[in-house]
């Protein structure tokens, strides 16, 4: 096998270097995916958190109107 690889122009250093570059590329791709996911998470939080905070403040200032959001007389309860 060594003779065949030498005849084709490969050396052990080329193979080791290729494996190292492949591992580095896969490693980098993983962190790019984590970075993109973090960006999407933060982008959503920029919208959702202020809306949640405003709703929470209005709910606290609203007084004693703590009626549940569920309608107990809905069609789903008839069965």
């Amino acid at each position: 096998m060594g003779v065949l690889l030498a005849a084709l122009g490969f050396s052990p250093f080329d193979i080791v270097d290729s494996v190292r570059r492949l591992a580095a590329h896969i490693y980098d791709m993983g962190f790019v995916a984590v970075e993109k996911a973090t960006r999407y998470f933060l982008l959503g939080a920029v919208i959702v958190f202020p809306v949640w905070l405003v709703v929470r403040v209005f709910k606290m200032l609203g007084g004693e109107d703590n009626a549940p959001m569920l309608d107990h007389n809905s069609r789903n309860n008839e069965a």
Side-chain angles (χ1 to χ4, degrees):
M1 189 62 168
V3 173
L4 179 64
L5 289 174
L8 294 174
F10 289 106
S11 73
F13 298 112
D14 291 336
I15 296 172
V16 170
D17 186 51
S18 294
V19 170
R20 185 193 59 78
R21 283 186 290 133
L22 176 65
H25 182 67
I26 291 172
Y27 184 78
D28 290 339
M29 282 176 35
F31 279 109
V32 169
V34 170
E35 181 181 344
K36 283 185 179 181
T38 302
R39 281 185 168 182
Y40 287 131
F41 176 77
L42 291 176
L43 182 63
V46 164
I47 302 299
V48 171
F49 182 74
V51 170
W52 172 82
L53 188 62
V54 167
V55 168
R56 191 79 169 157
V57 167
F58 280 138
K59 201 179 254 190
M60 288 175 59
L61 295 176
E64 298 197 19
D65 186 22
N66 294 329
M69 297 295 289
L70 297 174
D71 181 14
H72 294 291
N73 296 322
S74 69
R75 287 187 293 161
N76 293 333
N77 290 332
E78 292 176 6

